[in-house]
Coordinates of all heavy atoms in Angstrom, one line a residue:
M1197 N -29.2 1.3 -68.2 CA -30.3 1.7 -69.0 C -30.9 0.4 -69.7 O -30.0 -0.3 -70.3 CB -29.9 2.8 -69.9 CG -31.0 3.4 -70.6 SD -30.5 4.8 -71.7 CE -30.7 6.2 -70.5
D1198 N -32.1 0.2 -69.6 CA -32.6 -1.0 -70.4 C -32.8 -0.7 -71.8 O -32.8 0.4 -72.3 CB -33.9 -1.6 -69.7 CG -35.1 -0.7 -69.8 OD1 -35.2 0.1 -70.8 OD2 -35.9 -0.7 -68.9
S1199 N -32.9 -1.8 -72.6 CA -32.9 -1.6 -74.1 C -34.1 -0.9 -74.6 O -34.0 -0.1 -75.5 CB -32.9 -3.0 -74.7 OG -34.0 -3.8 -74.3
E1200 N -35.2 -1.0 -73.9 CA -36.5 -0.3 -74.3 C -36.3 1.2 -74.2 O -36.6 2.0 -75.1 CB -37.6 -0.7 -73.4 CG -39.0 -0.1 -73.9 CD -40.2 -0.7 -73.1 OE1 -40.2 -1.9 -72.8 OE2 -41.0 0.2 -72.7
K1201 N -35.6 1.6 -73.0 CA -35.3 3.0 -72.8 C -34.3 3.5 -73.9 O -34.4 4.7 -74.4 CB -34.7 3.3 -71.4 CG -34.4 4.7 -71.0 CD -35.7 5.5 -70.9 CE -35.2 6.9 -70.4 NZ -36.3 7.9 -70.7
I1202 N -33.3 2.7 -74.2 CA -32.3 3.1 -75.3 C -33.0 3.4 -76.6 O -32.8 4.4 -77.3 CB -31.2 2.1 -75.4 CG1 -30.4 2.0 -74.1 CG2 -30.3 2.5 -76.6 CD1 -29.4 0.9 -74.0
Y1203 N -33.9 2.4 -76.9 CA -34.6 2.6 -78.2 C -35.6 3.8 -78.2 O -35.6 4.5 -79.2 CB -35.4 1.3 -78.5 CG -34.6 0.2 -79.1 CD1 -34.4 -1.0 -78.5 CD2 -34.0 0.3 -80.3 CE1 -33.7 -2.1 -79.0 CE2 -33.2 -0.6 -80.9 CZ -33.0 -1.8 -80.2 OH -32.3 -2.9 -80.7
Q1204 N -36.2 4.1 -77.1 CA -37.0 5.3 -76.9 C -36.2 6.6 -77.2 O -36.6 7.5 -77.9 CB -37.7 5.3 -75.6 CG -38.8 4.3 -75.4 CD -39.4 4.3 -74.0 OE1 -38.9 5.0 -73.1 NE2 -40.4 3.5 -73.8
E1205 N -35.1 6.6 -76.6 CA -34.2 7.7 -76.6 C -33.6 7.9 -78.1 O -33.5 9.1 -78.6 CB -33.1 7.8 -75.6 CG -33.6 7.8 -74.2 CD -32.8 8.6 -73.2 OE1 -31.9 9.4 -73.6 OE2 -33.1 8.5 -72.1
L1206 N -33.3 6.8 -78.7 CA -32.8 6.9 -80.1 C -34.0 7.4 -81.0 O -33.8 8.3 -81.8 CB -32.4 5.5 -80.6 CG -31.1 5.0 -80.0 CD1 -30.9 3.6 -80.4 CD2 -29.9 5.9 -80.6
N1207 N -35.2 6.9 -80.7 CA -36.3 7.3 -81.5 C -36.6 8.8 -81.4 O -37.0 9.5 -82.4 CB -37.6 6.5 -81.1 CG -38.7 6.7 -82.0 OD1 -38.6 6.7 -83.3 ND2 -39.9 6.8 -81.5
Q1208 N -36.5 9.3 -80.2 CA -36.7 10.7 -79.9 C -35.7 11.6 -80.7 O -36.0 12.8 -81.1 CB -36.6 11.1 -78.5 CG -37.7 10.5 -77.6 CD -37.5 10.8 -76.1 OE1 -36.4 11.2 -75.7 NE2 -38.4 10.3 -75.3
K1209 N -34.6 11.0 -81.1 CA -33.6 11.7 -81.8 C -33.7 11.4 -83.3 O -32.9 11.8 -84.1 CB -32.2 11.5 -81.3 CG -32.0 12.0 -79.9 CD -30.6 12.1 -79.5 CE -30.4 12.7 -78.2 NZ -30.5 14.1 -78.1
G1210 N -34.7 10.6 -83.7 CA -34.9 10.2 -85.1 C -33.9 9.2 -85.6 O -33.6 9.1 -86.7
L1211 N -33.4 8.4 -84.6 CA -32.4 7.4 -84.9 C -32.9 6.0 -84.5 O -33.9 5.9 -83.8 CB -31.1 7.7 -84.1 CG -30.4 9.0 -84.4 CD1 -29.3 9.2 -83.4 CD2 -29.9 9.1 -85.8
N1212 N -32.2 5.0 -85.1 CA -32.5 3.6 -84.7 C -31.2 2.8 -85.0 O -30.2 3.4 -85.4 CB -33.7 3.1 -85.5 CG -33.5 3.1 -87.0 OD1 -32.4 2.9 -87.5 ND2 -34.5 3.5 -87.8
A1213 N -31.3 1.6 -84.7 CA -30.1 0.6 -84.8 C -29.5 0.6 -86.2 O -28.3 0.5 -86.4 CB -30.4 -0.8 -84.3
S1214 N -30.5 0.7 -87.2 CA -30.0 0.6 -88.6 C -29.3 1.8 -89.0 O -28.3 1.7 -89.7 CB -31.3 0.5 -89.5 OG -31.8 -0.8 -89.3
I1215 N -29.7 3.0 -88.5 CA -29.0 4.2 -88.8 C -27.6 4.2 -88.2 O -26.6 4.5 -88.8 CB -29.8 5.5 -88.4 CG1 -31.1 5.5 -89.3 CG2 -29.0 6.7 -88.6 CD1 -32.1 6.5 -88.7
I1216 N -27.5 3.8 -87.0 CA -26.2 3.8 -86.3 C -25.3 2.7 -87.0 O -24.1 3.0 -87.3 CB -26.4 3.3 -84.8 CG1 -27.1 4.5 -84.0 CG2 -25.0 3.0 -84.1 CD1 -27.5 4.2 -82.6
A1217 N -25.8 1.6 -87.3 CA -25.1 0.6 -88.1 C -24.6 1.1 -89.4 O -23.4 0.9 -89.7 CB -26.0 -0.6 -88.4
E1218 N -25.4 1.8 -90.1 CA -25.0 2.4 -91.4 C -23.8 3.4 -91.2 O -22.8 3.3 -91.9 CB -26.1 3.0 -92.1 CG -25.8 3.5 -93.5 CD -27.0 4.0 -94.3 OE1 -28.1 3.7 -94.0 OE2 -26.8 4.9 -95.1
A1219 N -24.0 4.2 -90.2 CA -22.9 5.3 -89.9 C -21.6 4.5 -89.5 O -20.6 5.1 -89.8 CB -23.4 6.1 -88.8
M1220 N -21.7 3.4 -88.8 CA -20.5 2.8 -88.4 C -19.9 1.7 -89.4 O -18.8 1.2 -89.2 CB -20.8 2.0 -87.1 CG -21.2 3.0 -86.0 SD -21.3 2.1 -84.4 CE -19.6 1.7 -84.1
G1221 N -20.7 1.4 -90.3 CA -20.3 0.3 -91.3 C -20.4 -1.2 -90.7 O -19.5 -1.9 -90.9
V1222 N -21.4 -1.3 -89.9 CA -21.6 -2.7 -89.2 C -23.0 -3.1 -89.5 O -23.8 -2.3 -90.1 CB -21.3 -2.6 -87.7 CG1 -19.9 -2.2 -87.4 CG2 -22.3 -1.7 -87.0
L1223 N -23.3 -4.3 -89.2 CA -24.6 -4.8 -89.4 C -25.6 -4.3 -88.4 O -25.2 -4.2 -87.2 CB -24.7 -6.4 -89.3 CG -23.9 -7.1 -90.4 CD1 -23.8 -8.6 -90.1 CD2 -24.5 -6.8 -91.8
P1224 N -26.9 -4.0 -88.8 CA -27.9 -3.6 -87.8 C -28.1 -4.6 -86.6 O -28.3 -4.1 -85.5 CB -29.2 -3.4 -88.6 CG -28.8 -3.3 -90.0 CD -27.4 -4.0 -90.1
Q1225 N -28.0 -5.9 -87.0 CA -28.0 -6.9 -85.9 C -26.9 -6.7 -84.8 O -27.1 -7.0 -83.7 CB -27.9 -8.3 -86.5 CG -29.0 -8.7 -87.4 CD -28.8 -8.3 -88.8 OE1 -28.0 -7.3 -89.1 NE2 -29.4 -9.1 -89.7
S1226 N -25.8 -6.3 -85.2 CA -24.7 -6.1 -84.3 C -25.0 -4.9 -83.3 O -24.8 -5.1 -82.1 CB -23.4 -5.7 -85.0 OG -23.0 -6.7 -85.9
V1227 N -25.6 -3.9 -83.8 CA -26.0 -2.8 -82.9 C -27.2 -3.3 -82.0 O -27.2 -3.0 -80.8 CB -26.4 -1.6 -83.7 CG1 -27.0 -0.5 -82.8 CG2 -25.3 -1.0 -84.6
A1228 N -28.1 -4.0 -82.6 CA -29.3 -4.5 -81.7 C -28.8 -5.4 -80.7 O -29.3 -5.3 -79.6 CB -30.3 -5.2 -82.7
V1229 N -27.8 -6.3 -80.9 CA -27.4 -7.2 -79.9 C -26.7 -6.4 -78.8 O -27.0 -6.7 -77.6 CB -26.4 -8.2 -80.5 CG1 -25.6 -8.9 -79.5 CG2 -27.1 -9.2 -81.4
V1230 N -25.9 -5.4 -79.1 CA -25.2 -4.5 -78.0 C -26.4 -3.9 -77.2 O -26.3 -3.9 -75.9 CB -24.3 -3.5 -78.6 CG1 -23.8 -2.6 -77.6 CG2 -23.1 -4.3 -79.3
I1231 N -27.4 -3.3 -77.8 CA -28.4 -2.7 -77.1 C -29.2 -3.7 -76.2 O -29.4 -3.4 -75.1 CB -29.4 -1.9 -78.1 CG1 -28.7 -0.7 -78.7 CG2 -30.6 -1.4 -77.3 CD1 -29.4 -0.1 -79.9
R1232 N -29.5 -4.8 -76.8 CA -30.3 -5.8 -76.0 C -29.6 -6.5 -74.9 O -30.1 -6.6 -73.9 CB -30.8 -6.8 -77.1 CG -31.8 -7.8 -76.4 CD -32.5 -8.8 -77.5 NE -31.5 -9.6 -78.2 CZ -31.1 -9.4 -79.5 NH1 -31.7 -8.4 -80.2 NH2 -30.2 -10.2 -80.0
M1233 N -28.3 -6.8 -75.2 CA -27.4 -7.4 -74.1 C -26.8 -6.5 -73.1 O -26.5 -6.9 -72.1 CB -26.3 -8.3 -74.8 CG -26.8 -9.3 -75.8 SD -27.9 -10.6 -75.0 CE -26.6 -11.3 -74.0
G1234 N -26.7 -5.3 -73.5 CA -26.1 -4.3 -72.6 C -24.6 -4.4 -72.6 O -23.9 -3.8 -71.6
K1235 N -24.0 -5.1 -73.4 CA -22.5 -5.2 -73.6 C -22.2 -5.8 -74.9 O -23.1 -6.2 -75.7 CB -22.0 -6.1 -72.4 CG -22.6 -7.5 -72.4 CD -22.0 -8.3 -71.2 CE -22.6 -9.7 -71.2 NZ -22.1 -10.5 -70.0
G1236 N -20.9 -6.0 -75.2 CA -20.5 -6.5 -76.5 C -19.5 -5.6 -77.0 O -18.5 -5.2 -76.3
S1237 N -19.6 -5.2 -78.2 CA -18.6 -4.3 -78.8 C -18.7 -2.9 -78.2 O -19.6 -2.2 -78.1 CB -19.0 -4.1 -80.3 OG -18.2 -3.0 -80.8
K1238 N -17.5 -2.6 -77.5 CA -17.4 -1.2 -76.9 C -17.5 -0.1 -77.9 O -18.0 0.9 -77.5 CB -16.1 -1.2 -76.0 CG -16.1 0.1 -75.1 CD -14.8 0.0 -74.3 CE -14.8 1.1 -73.3 NZ -13.6 1.1 -72.5
R1239 N -17.0 -0.3 -79.0 CA -17.1 0.7 -80.1 C -18.5 1.0 -80.4 O -19.0 2.1 -80.5 CB -16.4 0.2 -81.4 CG -16.3 1.2 -82.5 CD -15.4 0.8 -83.6 NE -16.0 -0.2 -84.5 CZ -16.6 0.1 -85.6 NH1 -16.6 1.3 -86.0 NH2 -17.1 -0.9 -86.3
I1240 N -19.4 -0.1 -80.6 CA -20.8 0.1 -80.9 C -21.5 0.7 -79.7 O -22.3 1.6 -79.8 CB -21.5 -1.2 -81.4 CG1 -20.9 -1.7 -82.7 CG2 -23.0 -1.1 -81.4 CD1 -21.3 -3.0 -83.2
A1241 N -21.2 0.2 -78.5 CA -21.8 0.8 -77.3 C -21.5 2.2 -77.1 O -22.4 3.1 -76.8 CB -21.4 0.0 -76.1
S1242 N -20.3 2.6 -77.4 CA -19.9 4.1 -77.3 C -20.7 4.9 -78.4 O -21.2 6.0 -78.0 CB -18.5 4.2 -77.6 OG -17.7 3.7 -76.5
A1243 N -20.9 4.3 -79.5 CA -21.6 5.1 -80.5 C -23.1 5.2 -80.2 O -23.7 6.4 -80.4 CB -21.5 4.4 -81.9
V1244 N -23.7 4.2 -79.6 CA -25.1 4.3 -79.1 C -25.2 5.4 -78.1 O -26.1 6.2 -78.1 CB -25.6 2.9 -78.6 CG1 -27.0 3.1 -77.9 CG2 -25.6 1.9 -79.7
A1245 N -24.3 5.3 -77.1 CA -24.3 6.3 -76.0 C -24.1 7.7 -76.5 O -24.9 8.6 -76.2 CB -23.2 6.0 -75.0
T1246 N -23.2 7.9 -77.4 CA -23.0 9.2 -78.0 C -24.2 9.7 -78.8 O -24.6 10.9 -78.7 CB -21.8 9.2 -79.0 OG1 -20.6 8.8 -78.2 CG2 -21.5 10.5 -79.7
A1247 N -24.9 8.8 -79.5 CA -26.1 9.1 -80.3 C -27.2 9.6 -79.4 O -28.0 10.4 -79.9 CB -26.6 7.9 -81.1
I1248 N -27.3 9.3 -78.1 CA -28.3 9.8 -77.2 C -27.8 10.7 -76.2 O -28.4 11.0 -75.2 CB -29.1 8.6 -76.6 CG1 -28.3 7.7 -75.7 CG2 -30.0 7.8 -77.6 CD1 -29.0 6.5 -75.0
D1249 N -26.6 11.2 -76.5 CA -25.9 12.2 -75.6 C -25.8 11.8 -74.2 O -26.1 12.6 -73.3 CB -26.8 13.5 -75.7 CG -26.8 14.1 -77.1 OD1 -25.7 14.0 -77.8 OD2 -27.9 14.6 -77.5
K1250 N -25.3 10.6 -74.0 CA -25.1 10.0 -72.6 C -23.8 9.4 -72.6 O -23.2 9.1 -73.6 CB -26.2 9.1 -72.2 CG -27.6 9.7 -72.3 CD -28.5 9.1 -71.2 CE -29.9 9.7 -71.2 NZ -30.0 11.0 -70.8
S1251 N -23.3 9.2 -71.3 CA -21.9 8.5 -71.1 C -22.2 7.0 -71.4 O -23.2 6.4 -71.2 CB -21.4 8.8 -69.8 OG -22.2 8.1 -68.8
L1252 N -21.0 6.4 -71.8 CA -21.1 4.9 -72.0 C -21.5 4.3 -70.7 O -22.4 3.4 -70.8 CB -19.7 4.5 -72.3 CG -19.5 3.0 -72.5 CD1 -20.2 2.4 -73.7 CD2 -18.0 2.7 -72.7
E1253 N -21.0 4.7 -69.6 CA -21.3 4.0 -68.3 C -22.8 4.2 -67.9 O -23.3 3.4 -67.2 CB -20.4 4.5 -67.2 CG -19.0 4.0 -67.4 CD -18.1 4.9 -68.3 OE1 -18.6 6.0 -68.8 OE2 -16.9 4.6 -68.6
E1254 N -23.4 5.3 -68.3 CA -24.8 5.6 -67.9 C -25.7 4.7 -68.7 O -26.7 4.2 -68.2 CB -25.0 7.1 -68.2 CG -26.5 7.5 -67.8 CD -26.7 9.0 -68.1 OE1 -25.8 9.7 -68.5 OE2 -27.9 9.4 -67.8
V1255 N -25.4 4.5 -70.0 CA -26.2 3.7 -70.9 C -26.0 2.3 -70.7 O -26.9 1.4 -70.7 CB -26.0 4.1 -72.4 CG1 -26.9 3.3 -73.3 CG2 -26.3 5.6 -72.6
F1256 N -24.7 1.9 -70.5 CA -24.3 0.5 -70.4 C -23.6 0.3 -69.1 O -22.3 0.3 -69.1 CB -23.5 0.0 -71.6 CG -24.2 0.1 -72.9 CD1 -24.0 1.2 -73.8 CD2 -25.2 -0.8 -73.3 CE1 -24.6 1.4 -75.0 CE2 -25.9 -0.7 -74.5 CZ -25.6 0.4 -75.3
P1257 N -24.3 0.0 -68.0 CA -23.6 -0.1 -66.6 C -22.6 -1.2 -66.7 O -21.6 -1.1 -65.8 CB -24.7 -0.4 -65.7 CG -26.0 0.0 -66.4 CD -25.7 -0.1 -67.9
F1258 N -22.6 -2.2 -67.5 CA -21.6 -3.2 -67.6 C -20.2 -2.6 -67.7 O -19.3 -3.1 -67.0 CB -21.9 -4.1 -68.8 CG -20.7 -5.0 -69.2 CD1 -20.5 -6.2 -68.5 CD2 -19.8 -4.6 -70.2 CE1 -19.5 -7.0 -68.9 CE2 -18.8 -5.5 -70.5 CZ -18.6 -6.6 -69.8
Y1259 N -20.1 -1.5 -68.5 CA -18.7 -0.9 -68.7 C -18.3 -0.2 -67.4 O -17.1 -0.1 -67.1 CB -18.7 -0.1 -69.8 CG -18.9 -0.9 -71.1 CD1 -20.1 -1.0 -71.8 CD2 -17.8 -1.5 -71.6 CE1 -20.2 -1.8 -72.9 CE2 -17.9 -2.4 -72.8 CZ -19.1 -2.5 -73.4 OH -19.2 -3.3 -74.5
K1260 N -19.2 0.3 -66.6 CA -18.8 0.9 -65.4 C -18.2 0.0 -64.4 O -17.1 0.1 -63.8 CB -20.0 1.6 -64.6 CG -19.7 2.4 -63.4 CD -21.0 3.0 -62.9 CE -20.7 4.0 -61.8 NZ -21.8 4.6 -61.3
E1261 N -18.9 -1.3 -64.2 CA -18.3 -2.3 -63.5 C -17.0 -2.8 -64.0 O -16.1 -3.2 -63.2 CB -19.4 -3.4 -63.3 CG -20.6 -3.1 -62.5 CD -20.2 -2.7 -61.1 OE1 -19.4 -3.4 -60.5 OE2 -20.7 -1.6 -60.6
K1262 N -16.9 -3.0 -65.3 CA -15.7 -3.5 -65.9 C -14.6 -2.6 -65.6 O -13.4 -3.0 -65.3 CB -15.9 -3.7 -67.4 CG -14.8 -4.3 -68.1 CD -15.0 -4.5 -69.6 CE -13.8 -5.2 -70.3 NZ -14.1 -5.4 -71.7
N1263 N -14.8 -1.3 -65.8 CA -13.8 -0.3 -65.4 C -13.3 -0.3 -64.0 O -12.2 -0.2 -63.7 CB -14.2 1.2 -65.9 CG -14.2 1.3 -67.4 OD1 -13.7 0.6 -68.2 ND2 -15.0 2.3 -67.8
K1264 N -14.3 -0.6 -63.1 CA -13.9 -0.7 -61.6 C -13.0 -1.8 -61.5 O -12.0 -1.8 -60.7 CB -15.2 -0.9 -60.8 CG -15.9 0.4 -60.6 CD -17.1 0.1 -59.6 CE -18.1 1.3 -59.5 NZ -19.2 0.9 -58.7
K1265 N -13.3 -3.0 -62.1 CA -12.5 -4.2 -61.9 C -11.1 -4.0 -62.5 O -10.1 -4.4 -61.9 CB -13.1 -5.3 -62.7 CG -14.4 -5.9 -61.9 CD -15.1 -7.0 -62.7 CE -16.3 -7.4 -62.0 NZ -17.1 -8.4 -62.7
I1266 N -11.0 -3.2 -63.6 CA -9.7 -3.0 -64.3 C -8.9 -2.1 -63.3 O -7.7 -2.3 -63.1 CB -9.9 -2.3 -65.6 CG1 -10.5 -3.3 -66.6 CG2 -8.5 -1.7 -66.1 CD1 -10.9 -2.7 -68.0
E1267 N -9.5 -1.1 -62.7 CA -8.8 -0.2 -61.8 C -8.4 -0.9 -60.5 O -7.2 -0.7 -60.1 CB -9.7 1.0 -61.4 CG -9.8 2.0 -62.6 CD -8.4 2.5 -63.1 OE1 -7.6 3.0 -62.3 OE2 -8.2 2.6 -64.3
W1268 N -9.3 -1.8 -60.0 CA -8.8 -2.6 -58.9 C -7.6 -3.5 -59.1 O -6.7 -3.6 -58.3 CB -10.1 -3.4 -58.4 CG -9.8 -4.2 -57.2 CD1 -9.8 -3.9 -55.9 CD2 -9.4 -5.6 -57.2 NE1 -9.5 -5.0 -55.1 CE2 -9.2 -6.1 -55.9 CE3 -9.1 -6.5 -58.3 CZ2 -8.8 -7.4 -55.6 CZ3 -8.8 -7.8 -58.0 CH2 -8.6 -8.2 -56.6
R1269 N -7.7 -4.1 -60.3 CA -6.6 -5.0 -60.6 C -5.3 -4.2 -60.7 O -4.3 -4.6 -60.3 CB -7.0 -5.7 -61.9 CG -5.9 -6.7 -62.3 CD -6.2 -7.4 -63.6 NE -5.1 -8.1 -64.1 CZ -5.2 -9.3 -64.6 NH1 -6.3 -9.9 -64.8 NH2 -4.1 -9.9 -65.0
K1270 N -5.3 -3.1 -61.4 CA -4.1 -2.2 -61.5 C -3.5 -1.9 -60.2 O -2.3 -1.9 -59.9 CB -4.5 -0.9 -62.3 CG -4.5 -1.2 -63.8 CD -4.8 0.2 -64.5 CE -5.2 0.0 -65.9 NZ -5.5 1.3 -66.6
M1271 N -4.4 -1.5 -59.2 CA -3.9 -1.1 -57.9 C -3.3 -2.3 -57.2 O -2.4 -2.1 -56.5 CB -5.1 -0.5 -57.1 CG -5.5 0.9 -57.6 SD -4.2 2.1 -57.6 CE -3.7 2.1 -56.0
Q1272 N -4.0 -3.5 -57.3 CA -3.5 -4.6 -56.7 C -2.0 -4.9 -57.2 O -1.2 -5.3 -56.5 CB -4.5 -5.8 -56.9 CG -5.7 -5.7 -56.2 CD -5.5 -5.8 -54.7 OE1 -5.4 -4.7 -54.0 NE2 -5.6 -6.9 -54.1
A1273 N -1.9 -4.8 -58.5 CA -0.6 -5.1 -59.1 C 0.4 -4.1 -58.6 O 1.6 -4.4 -58.4 CB -0.7 -5.0 -60.6
I1274 N 0.1 -2.8 -58.5 CA 1.1 -1.8 -58.0 C 1.4 -2.1 -56.6 O 2.6 -2.1 -56.3 CB 0.4 -0.4 -58.2 CG1 0.3 0.0 -59.6 CG2 1.2 0.6 -57.4 CD1 -0.5 1.2 -59.9
N1275 N 0.5 -2.4 -55.8 CA 0.7 -2.7 -54.4 C 1.6 -3.9 -54.2 O 2.6 -3.9 -53.5 CB -0.5 -3.0 -53.6 CG -1.3 -1.6 -53.5 OD1 -0.8 -0.6 -53.5 ND2 -2.7 -1.8 -53.2
L1276 N 1.4 -5.0 -55.0 CA 2.2 -6.1 -55.0 C 3.6 -5.9 -55.4 O 4.6 -6.4 -54.8 CB 1.6 -7.3 -55.8 CG 2.4 -8.6 -55.8 CD1 2.5 -9.1 -54.4 CD2 1.6 -9.6 -56.6
K1277 N 3.7 -5.1 -56.5 CA 5.1 -4.7 -57.0 C 5.9 -4.0 -56.0 O 7.1 -4.3 -55.8 CB 4.8 -3.9 -58.3 CG 6.1 -3.6 -59.0 CD 5.9 -2.8 -60.2 CE 7.2 -2.5 -61.0 NZ 6.9 -1.7 -62.2
E1278 N 5.2 -3.1 -55.3 CA 5.9 -2.4 -54.2 C 6.4 -3.4 -53.1 O 7.6 -3.2 -52.7 CB 5.0 -1.4 -53.5 CG 4.9 -0.1 -54.5 CD 3.8 0.9 -53.9 OE1 3.3 0.7 -52.7 OE2 3.6 1.9 -54.6
I1279 N 5.6 -4.3 -52.7 CA 5.9 -5.3 -51.7 C 7.1 -6.1 -52.2 O 8.1 -6.4 -51.5 CB 4.7 -6.1 -51.3 CG1 3.7 -5.3 -50.6 CG2 5.1 -7.3 -50.5 CD1 2.3 -5.9 -50.4
L1280 N 7.0 -6.6 -53.4 CA 8.0 -7.5 -53.9 C 9.3 -6.8 -54.1 O 10.4 -7.4 -53.8 CB 7.6 -8.0 -55.3 CG 6.4 -9.0 -55.3 CD1 6.0 -9.4 -56.8 CD2 6.7 -10.2 -54.5
N1281 N 9.3 -5.5 -54.5 CA 10.5 -4.7 -54.6 C 11.2 -4.5 -53.2 O 12.4 -4.7 -53.1 CB 10.3 -3.4 -55.3 CG 10.1 -3.6 -56.8 OD1 10.5 -4.5 -57.3 ND2 9.4 -2.6 -57.3
K1282 N 10.4 -4.3 -52.2 CA 11.0 -4.1 -50.8 C 11.6 -5.4 -50.4 O 12.7 -5.4 -49.9 CB 9.9 -3.6 -49.9 CG 9.4 -2.2 -50.1 CD 8.3 -1.8 -49.1 CE 7.8 -0.4 -49.4 NZ 6.6 -0.2 -48.5
D1283 N 10.8 -6.5 -50.5 CA 11.3 -7.8 -50.0 C 12.5 -8.3 -50.7 O 13.5 -8.8 -50.2 CB 10.2 -8.8 -50.0 CG 9.2 -8.6 -48.9 OD1 9.5 -7.8 -48.0 OD2 8.1 -9.2 -49.1
H1284 N 12.5 -8.0 -52.1 CA 13.6 -8.5 -52.9 C 15.0 -7.7 -52.5 O 16.0 -8.5 -52.4 CB 13.3 -8.1 -54.4 CG 14.4 -8.4 -55.3 ND1 14.7 -9.8 -55.6 CD2 15.3 -7.7 -56.0 CE1 15.7 -9.8 -56.5 NE2 16.1 -8.5 -56.7
F1285 N 14.9 -6.5 -52.3 CA 16.2 -5.8 -51.9 C 16.6 -6.2 -50.5 O 17.8 -6.1 -50.2 CB 16.1 -4.3 -52.1 CG 15.9 -3.9 -53.6 CD1 14.8 -3.4 -54.1 CD2 17.0 -4.2 -54.4 CE1 14.6 -3.0 -55.4 CE2 16.9 -3.7 -55.7 CZ 15.8 -3.3 -56.2
K1286 N 15.7 -6.6 -49.6 CA 16.1 -6.9 -48.3 C 16.9 -8.2 -48.2 O 17.7 -8.5 -47.4 CB 14.8 -7.0 -47.4 CG 14.2 -5.7 -47.0 CD 13.0 -5.9 -46.0 CE 12.4 -4.7 -45.7 NZ 11.1 -4.9 -44.9
N1287 N 16.4 -9.2 -49.1 CA 16.9 -10.5 -49.0 C 18.1 -10.8 -50.0 O 18.7 -11.8 -50.0 CB 15.8 -11.5 -49.4 CG 14.7 -11.5 -48.3 OD1 15.0 -11.3 -47.1 ND2 13.5 -11.6 -48.7
V1288 N 18.4 -9.8 -50.9 CA 19.5 -10.0 -51.9 C 20.7 -9.4 -51.3 O 20.8 -8.3 -50.7 CB 19.1 -9.3 -53.2 CG1 20.2 -9.3 -54.1 CG2 17.8 -9.8 -53.8
K1289 N 21.8 -10.2 -51.4 CA 23.1 -9.8 -50.9 C 24.1 -9.5 -52.0 O 24.1 -10.0 -53.0 CB 23.6 -10.7 -49.9 CG 22.8 -10.9 -48.7 CD 23.4 -11.8 -47.8 CE 22.4 -12.0 -46.6 NZ 22.9 -12.4 -45.4

């Protein structure tokens, strides 16, 4: 979701970056940067998404891609661990 659409949806709910910042105890600029950049503080991004009743991944696609990479890496590590364990026991006497 682009920043203009995020600001529109916040506005429709009577919210803006300053209100979210005040509720979270952060600077308004911090919220604005996350909205504008589409990434940054996951805590702030989650709050923005919650404020407009959408999922984090829907509002900030960066996190969807990041989660895919994390899951891929976990699966690669599990697969390698299985291979190493099999080979280790075959070669150890």
Side-chain angles (χ1 to χ4, degrees):
M1197 184 176 268
D1198 66 33
S1199 60
E1200 187 175 317
K1201 180 71 174 160
I1202 294 169
Y1203 280 117
Q1204 286 173 355
E1205 296 215 13
L1206 286 170
N1207 191 41
Q1208 288 173 358
K1209 298 197 175 279
L1211 299 171
N1212 59 38
S1214 294
I1215 294 170
I1216 293 172
E1218 185 176 334
M1220 296 186 72
V1222 299
L1223 295 172
Q1225 295 89 333
S1226 299
V1227 177
V1229 166
V1230 169
I1231 292 172
R1232 189 173 58 253
M1233 300 297 292
K1235 60 184 179 179
S1237 165
K1238 189 173 183 179
R1239 183 172 77 97
I1240 293 173
S1242 294
V1244 171
T1246 299
I1248 59 176
D1249 299 319
K1250 301 212 181 289
S1251 71
L1252 174 66
E1253 292 84 5
E1254 184 179 357
V1255 180
F1256 299 101
F1258 167 82
Y1259 291 101
K1260 184 175 186 177
E1261 289 302 313
K1262 185 175 182 180
N1263 289 339
K1264 282 182 187 178
K1265 288 178 184 176
I1266 291 169
E1267 287 303 313
W1268 177 83
R1269 182 181 169 138
K1270 283 181 187 177
M1271 289 306 300
Q1272 291 295 92
I1274 289 168
N1275 291 336
L1276 180 58
K1277 185 175 182 179
E1278 289 175 2
I1279 291 168
L1280 293 174
N1281 284 337
K1282 287 178 189 176
D1283 287 346
H1284 177 73
F1285 289 114
K1286 285 181 184 177
N1287 298 324
V1288 174
K1289 295 184 182 199

